Amino acid sequence: FGYSPFALWRFAFYVIMAYNWRHTYFGPCAGWDDALTYDHAEWVYDFAPKTPEAAEMLRWFGTAAALVSIFNDNATIVFAILSGSYVFSNITMFINHYYLFFLLSTLMAFYCNCGKDNIHDKAGLIHALRGQVVVVYAFASLWKFDSDWLSGHIVKQIFL
């Protein structure tokens, strides 16, 4: 093709993020009692959408930011901030993939915006990507040893 593996990864990642962001549900607009909250991220709630119309506008903005991030390094920062605000304020149930998307978006923002002398090392990026995936799925696998998982209660709730 003539494209670097990083360019192909970047294209595929941000296309998937645009699709995911377009189909993302933004948490309860009327109140944040039902959303998962983080103790040290209260300041993020001020920027969360308060109405369904605002949530729809944010959904389109996030999709556009993901698509622009394919070609523009500065847009990766905007998308990482949007991903963080979603993880810290809008989710109503924790899904490992959303956390992984936030970690990868943040890593991409650092990688794309640092000078070539700093961290533009292919091996470093590959190890960092692997590390992000390992962290998320290692904790997910530990959660499977919870009594709800071992008794089958969680699986019954999901599939029945």
Side-chain angles (χ1 to χ4, degrees), residues 5 19-21 31 33 41 47 50-52 65 67 69 92 94 101 109 119 121 131 145 153:
Y19 177 81
N20 178 58
W21 195 267
D33 296 333
F47 301 105
K50 307 283 189 278
T51 64
L67 291 174
S69 294
T92 55
F94 184 79
F101 294 159
I119 61 170
D121 178 22
F145 290 108
H153 182 71

Side-chain angles (χ1 to χ4, degrees), residues 42-125:
E42 295 90 6
W43 60 273
V44 179
Y45 303 137
D46 297 335
F47 301 105
K50 307 283 189 278
T51 64
E53 294 82 15
E56 185 65 21
M57 286 178 49
L58 184 61
R59 187 177 292 120
W60 278 108
F61 183 69
T63 303
L67 291 174
V68 172
S69 294
I70 295 170
F71 307 106
N72 187 318
D73 290 342
N74 294 330
T76 61
I77 297 171
V78 173
F79 186 75
I81 291 170
L82 287 173
S83 295
S85 70
Y86 178 71
V87 167
F88 291 125
S89 68
N90 290 318
I91 57 176
T92 55
M93 61 182 185
F94 184 79
I95 298 175
N96 293 339
H97 294 90
Y98 291 134
Y99 184 63
L100 178 64
F101 294 159
F102 166 62
L103 292 176
L104 292 177
S105 298
T106 304
L107 183 64
M108 289 292 288
F110 279 115
Y111 185 78
C112 293
N113 290 290
C114 285
K116 295 211 182 282
D117 296 333
N118 293 335
I119 61 170
H120 271 256
D121 178 22
K122 289 182 183 180
L125 175 67

Side-chain angles (χ1 to χ4, degrees), residues 144-159:
K144 302 302 187 267
F145 290 108
D146 188 77
S147 62
D148 287 343
W149 275 98
L150 292 175
S151 69
H153 182 71
I154 298 288
V155 177
K156 288 176 188 173
Q157 281 184 316
I158 293 172
F159 295 110

